Amino acid sequence: MAAGYAELLRTRHAARLLAGTLVGRLPNATAALAVVLFVRAEGGSYALAGALSAVYGVCNAMGQPLLGRAVDLHGQLRVMLPASVLSALGMVLLAAVGLDVLWLAYAAMVIAGFFTPPLEGGLRALWPGVLKRADRVHAAYALDAVAQEVMFAVGPLLVTLCVAAWSEGAALLVINLLGVLGALSVVVSAPSRQWRSGPREAHWLGALRSAGMLVLIGAFLFVGLAMGAIAVAAVAYADEHGGGMVSSALLSALGVGALAGGLVYGAREWPGRPESRLRLLVCLLAVGYVPLVLVPDVVGMTVLTGVAGVFLAPALACAFVVVDRHAPKGTVTEAFSWLVTTFGVGAAVGSAVVGPAVESGGAGAGFAVAGAGGIAAMLVLLSTKRFLGDPVRGTAGTATAENDRNGAAEPGFRAGRQA
């Protein structure tokens, strides 16, 4: 297993692109925590901190697919670097003005959120050209999903260390400076500078004109909902079982499970169609969420959350392979960004929905929301098989999609015009 990943990372540019993307995404991964800590240090309420974080999240959800479309049209360097700088300047503005002028604080969150560069989608658009072989690309998607788990664990720790060493405002500046440097490392690399999207059909829906993409977005909205519900339900469970580090232990177990599952999944090439494999993985993911409603003792619950996380990274990795196969030609970065955005929106919805459930039925009811989200995702995929069939190929079996990546033809659309 380790040898396969080592071979992948020894491929020219691979380690740099992965590391740069992860560092570049630190501001997004830590924004919620960093903003809350800053607002509280400035004397603001939790309500204000939540409102500012929500504005950041909503604008981020709006900006990712739009910036992804811009990347497909104009290239990574021209879009991602300016976006990264603008996003960082938004956080700098927040750190500079504080809460004295509230409209400026909200404007800072709009700028920081909307201009967060779509580095995650951009990296996945680069992998086929860098790694050349399909088995390596699939392994890279899995390794990317695993690395995200590490980032979301390390990022908050880095924020905490910056706050302890300097201040909450300094943490905002340091994290966003690192983000710009990470994005810079990616976009000045040869693969990023040379990458060009295929010609795309002029259509206002962009990637969303693919029925397969709509199915994936619907399914992973519910997967995200389940994840958001688990995060809140874990805190409620901790309150019912002694508090302290219980919630952290549960969420860490979830991350460790995802880490292990992703490493195992990416270590081999799986037979069969990725669409069928995705349905199986999401079914297993849903099955893993259901037992959480049992809310046993802390040891048992930690085991259950670890098991629940096992199929998350494999499902995400497989989903990106399916995106690669079904995104309309010339929309690959936008398509990847839509999936990332949908997952995040689902998590936000899950966090909101699970609150009343926990208040009325305790942690068990909260985990029931997560189970319902997993089952809904499973049902979406199982009921829409005809929209996730094999992508149509051109004459003589030649692939017609972008860079011969997914073989998806676009019946009903004329080629040649740029969107």
Side-chain angles (χ1 to χ4, degrees):
M1 183 188 300
Y5 286 122
E7 180 187 3
L8 187 157
L9 291 173
R10 282 196 298 269
T11 303
R12 189 181 181 194
H13 303 298
R16 171 181 177 174
L17 291 173
L18 180 61
T21 297
L22 292 174
V23 173
R25 292 179 58 220
L26 272 175
N28 189 29
T30 60
L33 175 63
V35 168
V36 170
L37 291 176
F38 177 78
V39 171
R40 293 297 293 159
E42 292 288 304
S45 66
Y46 280 110
L48 177 58
L52 289 171
S53 295
V55 169
Y56 176 94
V58 169
C59 291
N60 180 270
M62 294 169 58
Q64 287 290 291
L66 293 176
L67 290 172
R69 181 177 294 194
V71 168
D72 286 327
L73 289 171
H74 305 295
Q76 295 196 354
L77 178 61
R78 292 182 179 181
V79 176
M80 288 197 187
L81 185 58
S84 179
V85 171
L86 284 171
S87 179
L89 288 176
M91 286 298 190
V92 170
L93 177 61
L94 178 66
V97 304
L99 306 179
D100 293 334
V101 185
L102 271 183
W103 72 267
L104 274 178
Y106 279 106
M109 290 296 91
V110 170
I111 295 169
F114 186 87
F115 288 104
T116 299
L119 289 166
E120 188 173 358
L123 175 63
R124 285 163 179 148
L126 294 177
W127 280 138
V130 172
L131 300 175
K132 309 299 184 184
R133 288 168 27 192
D135 60 328
R136 287 185 178 178
V137 173
H138 294 184
Y141 288 153
L143 183 60
D144 190 6
V146 166
Q148 287 182 65
E149 298 297 330
V150 176
M151 180 189 65
F152 279 101
V154 172
L157 175 61
L158 184 58
V159 171
T160 304
L161 291 175
C162 288
V163 169
W166 299 297
S167 68
E168 290 78 5
L172 284 175
L173 300 179
V174 169
I175 293 296
N176 281 272
L177 174 60
L178 289 174
V180 172
L181 293 176
L184 180 64
S185 174
V186 171
V187 299
V188 299
S189 68
S192 180
R193 286 186 288 106
Q194 296 167 3
W195 180 85
R196 292 295 180 271
S197 176
R200 58 186 284 149
E201 179 71 22
H203 197 281
W204 69 275
L205 281 176
L208 298 185
R209 68 181 184 269
S210 162
M213 279 299 305
L214 295 177
V215 169
L216 290 169
I217 285 173
F220 277 84
L221 176 71
F222 288 113
V223 174
L225 183 148
M227 293 305 298
I230 288 174
V232 176
V235 176
Y237 178 88
D239 289 341
E240 296 172 4
H241 292 78
M245 299 296 291
V246 173
S247 61
S248 297
L250 296 184
L251 296 178
S252 295
L254 193 73
V256 169
L259 188 84
L263 287 173
V264 171
Y265 176 78
R268 59 163 292 185
E269 186 174 0
W270 298 89
R273 297 172 56 252
E275 291 85 358
S276 299
R277 187 163 65 251
L278 179 62
R279 281 191 286 272
L280 175 60
L281 288 169
V282 172
C283 287
L284 292 171
L285 188 67
V287 169
Y289 289 156
V290 171
L292 297 176
V293 301
L294 299 175
V295 288
D297 61 23
V298 173
V299 173
M301 196 65 190
T302 302
V303 172
L304 287 180
T305 52
V307 172
V310 167
F311 294 102
L312 177 61
L316 287 170
C318 189
F320 283 110
V321 172
V322 177
V323 167
D324 216 4
R325 285 163 57 86
H326 288 269
K329 186 162 60 175
T331 68
V332 64
T333 309
E334 178 190 344
F336 285 137
S337 298
W338 268 117
L339 197 65
V340 172
T341 293
T342 300
F343 188 85
V345 170
V349 172
S351 298
V353 169
V354 76
V358 167
E359 290 180 1
S360 62
F367 286 115
V369 173
I375 291 171
M378 177 183 70
L379 293 176
V380 168
L381 289 177
L382 291 178
S383 63
T384 55
K385 288 183 179 181
R386 67 190 182 94
F387 296 112
L388 281 180
D390 280 321
V392 179
R393 292 188 171 271
T395 58
T398 56
T400 58
E402 174 174 1
N403 298 328
D404 291 341
R405 295 163 61 97
N406 55 29
E410 298 180 88
F413 294 95
R414 298 182 303 278
R417 290 187 291 129
Q418 291 281 321

